[in-house]
Amino acid sequence: MSSFIAHVSLQDLSVYTTPPSSSPASSASATTTVSTGETPVLRAASDARSKGYEAIAIPLTNDKWKARWSEMCLLPTGDIPDRQSLEGQAEAWRSNPAFMRNEVTITRLDEAEGVVAFASEWLELDASDDWVRHDAETALLQELAYASYLNVHAVILPSPRNRAHVASFARAVNAALKAIPYMQLSVRIPIYDRSLMQLAAAASGVASPNSPGTSSSPNGGKGNPFIGSGAGEVSDQPSIASWEMWDTIRTICEYNVRLSLTLDLTPPLPADLAVLRQWVAEPTRFLFLPVSTFIANAKGYPVLPKPTQKFTRDIMKIQPNVILSGTSSGRHAKGGEAAYSQYVRHLEKTSPSVKAAHTPGTVENFAQGYQDYLQAPLQPLMDNLQSVTYQTFEQDPVKYRNYEEAIFRALSEWPRPGRIVICVAGAGRGPLVARCLTAIERAKKEAFVYAVEKNPNALVTLQDRLRLEWGDKVKILFGDMRTLEVPEQVDILVSELLGSFGDNELSPECLDGAMRFLKPDGISIPASYTAHLAPLSSSKLYNETRVSKDEKAVETPYVVMFQSINILSGDGGGVSGECGPQVQECWEFEHPRRDAVLNAQGLPFTNSHNTRFAKLTFHIPHASVLHGFGGYFEAVLYGSVGLSIHPQRMDKISKDMLSWFPLFFPLKVSYPRCCPAALPVNAVLSGATILAQQLRTARVHLETNK
């Protein structure tokens, strides 16, 4: 679950500095309290914990530090008294930066424990003036060094202000990451680019939404192209620009794992949920929610606007720390200070992802601890699986329920009377054999089952189950299905050789060998399966992939339970009108192949018929970074019974199936490192995807145009 943090401003902190009353007795008491250890910061932290917060977030410095820095470093032009003295002070500070005691809010280790610190928000690391940028960077390094001295683990950096110099901002952050080891730095990024809002307002003659003294434009925002129709909403462009600034910063910092994002939801907010959703794929460590983001509902209680509600529920799956600011301001008539945290906690509890993670039997609950974790795909043809691996997959009730239903329907619809012969190709420890026997009993058919298995270790388990459970209803055949001879041809061939991309565990090649078991009118379960692809953005998966220096690491598909990802493609259309759906089908395999050319042993002469090629075209509606592709499969077992991990259809076909996670194909643009590809607004992403029959690895050639 997310941690909730109370934002304590300098004004809030002054309340804890002031004694409870002005009487001499109480003043003496307050002095004694402070001298014995209870400081304003400790009081604020204690008060926050009593209100249900886990920590506080406070500025590291105060206005006295800002005044001294400004006096030294922002000298006006022309003649001023004591210029030489001030310049001397500035040079002395630059050579050896240090704080005065009254310029910082925290001085002790016990005060800093569990505190999230804000670096001075007035530091202009992207200022147009070179010297201001230089001195701001020096001040930032000074603040971070002091925070490190106090063992503060996380510091939130100020927001970038100047798009023209965002690269300078990023360079300063990168220098800080290198200078201050072990500390986590988080850049505060507003949900929209304020500079664009202000430029648009100036151009249209309408007050900017965040202009001092204005709460809305006189004409309801109609003159500002960025103002949306909903309360506190704006069009997408400023938010996209804000994301582009973040992308520049993290790219120049080389995706440093100690650099994260503090997403500032100060209104106005984008109207398009898809624009908000792109932040889920970023390393969002903190969610900054001021009370100005909340609106009053019909009863006067604070709630979030509808798009922000949906976004907050969605992002809760990555468990960001929520910083609530200004809750004691009395902005809303009902609920009081506690209403804000109670409401956001309610959104978290009602988040579909969070609810699913706490519901036994769901894939989210099953996969806890494996989200965004790279796993090498299994190679059951090459490797003999361990019993514990079989056991893990046998916990999937959905897959075996669907298999049993498919077998039952095939048996029930069998056109001829008499004995039906079933072969389970790749029996493992026998779960499909058991489901076949259950389906036979349900269908009230006379049938016999052959169980084919090449794993000599699993053979022992099969023999045990034959003795204890199955008896003369089953015969075990030990060997490779591609070369093994069966005593008789079979009516129904059942297999579970599918991989996350359908054919990536060599299902077509294996079943080519097993199809000679089938009678000419026999049935294969599965009957067919398709592979699907979608472009993804995910900072976490990109970082996980590039940890290895081995070239093969960026050419290897990984099995991943996706969480912090964003599917970049739109659902068809695009500027050209030629783009396909959001998740596109690559190819299909069918079994048995009625048109196959076979030799005398019933095997294909070559494997060329299993080579596949697809050219896909995606519309990318918003500016983004392509880190790789998500691979999915969908299978028809028999009739209308199937299996699917297709993100848009899996809930209808095989909801909460546990056996397969999607496949992640990292994007390799240049050797030796994988490199993300920047995509502009309304880009058309076109690529050729070839599946090599020898290695079953996808290679993607990309073209982008706008």
Side-chain angles (χ1 to χ4, degrees), residues 382-661:
M382 180 174 64
D383 304 324
N384 289 322
L385 302 182
Q386 294 181 319
S387 184
V388 68
T389 304
Y390 286 120
Q391 184 181 42
T392 299
F393 289 110
E394 289 167 13
Q395 295 175 18
D396 187 345
V398 176
K399 174 178 69 175
Y400 292 112
R401 180 194 68 205
N402 286 17
Y403 261 102
E404 181 187 318
E405 183 63 22
I407 298 165
F408 167 73
R409 293 190 185 186
L411 289 169
S412 300
E413 297 173 9
W414 192 252
R416 296 186 302 274
R419 180 174 175 267
I420 302 171
V421 182
I422 301 174
C423 177
V424 177
R429 301 198 316 174
L432 277 184
V433 176
R435 292 288 183 161
C436 284
L437 295 176
T438 304
I440 291 169
E441 185 177 350
R442 287 175 58 197
K444 295 180 173 55
K445 296 286 186 177
E446 180 189 356
F448 184 79
V449 179
Y450 288 104
V452 177
E453 179 54 49
K454 75 169 185 66
N455 186 341
N457 306 308
L459 182 65
V460 176
T461 303
L462 289 174
Q463 292 171 348
D464 205 35
R465 296 192 71 175
L466 180 68
R467 179 177 62 87
L468 298 174
E469 302 175 43
W470 304 331
D472 58 2
K473 301 174 185 177
V474 177
K475 182 177 178 61
I476 299 171
L477 302 176
F478 175 54
D480 191 322
M481 70 181 73
R482 296 172 297 173
T483 57
L484 181 73
E485 296 296 332
V486 295
E488 58 181 316
Q489 284 198 305
V490 305
D491 299 298
I492 301 174
L493 181 69
V494 182
S495 63
E496 54 169 331
L497 306 172
L498 297 169
S500 296
F501 204 47
D503 55 313
N504 61 294
E505 293 183 10
L506 299 177
S507 175
E509 286 78 4
C510 292
L511 290 180
D512 276 347
M515 284 302 139
R516 56 202 170 86
F517 303 166
L518 266 181
K519 294 176 182 178
D521 59 347
I523 295 171
S524 172
I525 298 176
S528 66
Y529 39 90
T530 50
H532 303 260
L533 207 67
L536 301 181
S537 176
S538 175
S539 296
K540 188 171 184 180
L541 292 182
Y542 171 69
N543 264 335
E544 292 288 334
T545 304
R546 72 192 191 112
V547 167
S548 174
K549 296 182 180 179
D550 187 354
E551 178 187 2
K552 293 181 179 178
V554 297
E555 293 186 334
T556 302
Y558 297 94
V559 175
V560 183
M561 173 57 180
F562 289 149
Q563 180 172 266
S564 301
I565 66 109
N566 183 35
I567 297 180
L568 303 178
S569 46
D571 199 5
V575 176
S576 65
E578 299 176 355
C579 299
Q582 185 180 48
V583 182
Q584 298 186 26
E585 181 179 324
C586 298
W587 43 70
E588 181 181 25
F589 288 89
E590 294 181 339
H591 302 289
R593 287 177 59 93
R594 306 296 182 187
D595 59 345
V597 180
L598 307 175
N599 61 19
Q601 289 76 39
L603 298 171
F605 286 96
T606 69
N607 197 34
S608 59
H609 61 285
N610 285 325
T611 299
R612 294 291 187 272
F613 175 92
K615 183 174 182 180
L616 309 177
T617 303
F618 296 96
H619 172 228
I620 311 298
H622 305 296
S624 51
V625 170
L626 177 66
H627 292 118
F629 291 84
Y632 313 89
F633 86 92
E634 197 161 273
V636 175
L637 296 179
Y638 180 82
S640 61
V641 183
L643 304 171
S644 178
I645 60 169
H646 189 294
Q648 296 170 339
R649 297 199 288 263
M650 59 183 181
D651 284 352
K652 297 179 181 178
I653 298 172
S654 52
K655 180 176 173 57
D656 292 326
M657 185 171 62
L658 312 176
S659 293
W660 291 276
F661 295 158

Side-chain angles (χ1 to χ4, degrees), residues 293-332:
T293 307
F294 293 80
I295 59 176
N297 65 9
K299 295 182 179 180
Y301 289 93
V303 296
L304 292 173
K306 292 288 186 182
T308 315
Q309 286 182 36
K310 294 178 182 178
F311 169 70
T312 303
R313 284 192 173 102
D314 192 24
I315 203 170
M316 283 301 177
K317 67 184 177 183
I318 64 174
Q319 298 182 354
N321 300 294
V322 179
I323 301 176
L324 290 171
S325 177
T327 56
S328 60
S329 63
R331 185 182 181 96
H332 294 91

Side-chain angles (χ1 to χ4, degrees), residues 210-221:
N210 61 336
S211 298
T214 62
S215 57
S216 62
S217 59
N219 60 354

Side-chain angles (χ1 to χ4, degrees), residues 67-78:
R68 181 162 74 97
W69 184 90
S70 300
E71 186 179 50
M72 292 187 299
C73 303
L74 300 180
L75 296 179
T77 57

